[in-house]
């Protein structure tokens, strides 16, 4: 994801969040999700990946995948600690003003051509 485009379109906290103590988009203009493996589980699938809004960290992303006819739907939800990735430094590292927990929710639909 190109973080520069995201923060350029945001109002409110967008300009503050793009600074060095948060996402530091001048040094880290892209947020990356690099999947290494996929495994099937009883409840769906798990993608073993590395995520990097700033600092790459391993994650396990559980997700469901439904394929019906020509359409595939993928849904995932994962709770992360923003400080693990270096997001929110200095006075923002504490959780008294901004919580550390961030919920990543993903929904993707794809249609076959």
């Amino acid at each position: 994801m190109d973080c520069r485009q995201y923060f350029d379109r945001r109002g409110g906290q967008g300009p503050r969040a793009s600074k060095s103590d948060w996402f530091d988009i001048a040094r880290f203009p892209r947020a990356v999700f690099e999947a290494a493996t996929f495994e099937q589980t009883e409840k769906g699938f798990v993608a073993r990946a590395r995520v990097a809004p700033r600092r790459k960290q391993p994650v396990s992303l559980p997700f469901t995948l439904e394929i019906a006819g020509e359409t595939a739907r993928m849904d995932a939800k994962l709770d992360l600690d923003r400080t693990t990735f270096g997001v929110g430094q200095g006075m923002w590292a504490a959780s008294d003003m901004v919580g550390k927990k961030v919920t990543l929710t993903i929904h993707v639909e794809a249609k076959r051509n």
Side-chain angles (χ1 to χ4, degrees):
M1 176 178 105
D2 186 338
C3 295
R4 295 168 299 193
Q5 290 180 355
Y6 175 77
F7 287 115
D8 286 346
R9 290 190 309 243
R10 298 274 301 168
Q13 296 302 313
R16 175 75 226 152
S18 68
K19 303 296 182 198
S20 63
D21 49 356
W22 283 98
F23 286 92
D24 196 1
I25 64 168
R27 288 183 47 214
F28 306 100
R30 298 185 59 81
V32 179
F33 180 91
E34 298 173 340
T37 63
F38 294 90
E39 301 169 18
Q40 190 164 7
T41 68
E42 290 181 12
K43 295 181 179 182
F45 299 89
V46 173
R48 309 267 183 228
R50 292 173 56 95
V51 175
R54 282 182 66 126
R55 179 184 312 142
K56 281 187 184 177
Q57 295 294 318
V59 297
S60 295
L61 178 69
F63 67 95
T64 58
L65 178 64
E66 296 178 21
I67 300 173
E70 301 294 310
T71 303
R73 289 180 182 82
M74 179 266 209
D75 287 287
K77 189 173 185 177
L78 179 66
D79 291 330
L80 301 170
D81 178 339
R82 64 177 171 80
T83 61
T84 301
F85 299 92
V87 176
Q89 298 184 7
M91 68 180 269
W92 302 107
S95 62
D96 56 334
M97 293 181 70
V98 178
K100 290 184 180 184
K101 178 182 163 186
V102 176
T103 300
L104 175 65
T105 303
I106 302 169
H107 174 78
V108 177
E109 289 189 25
K111 293 190 183 231
R112 188 184 318 241
N113 284 335

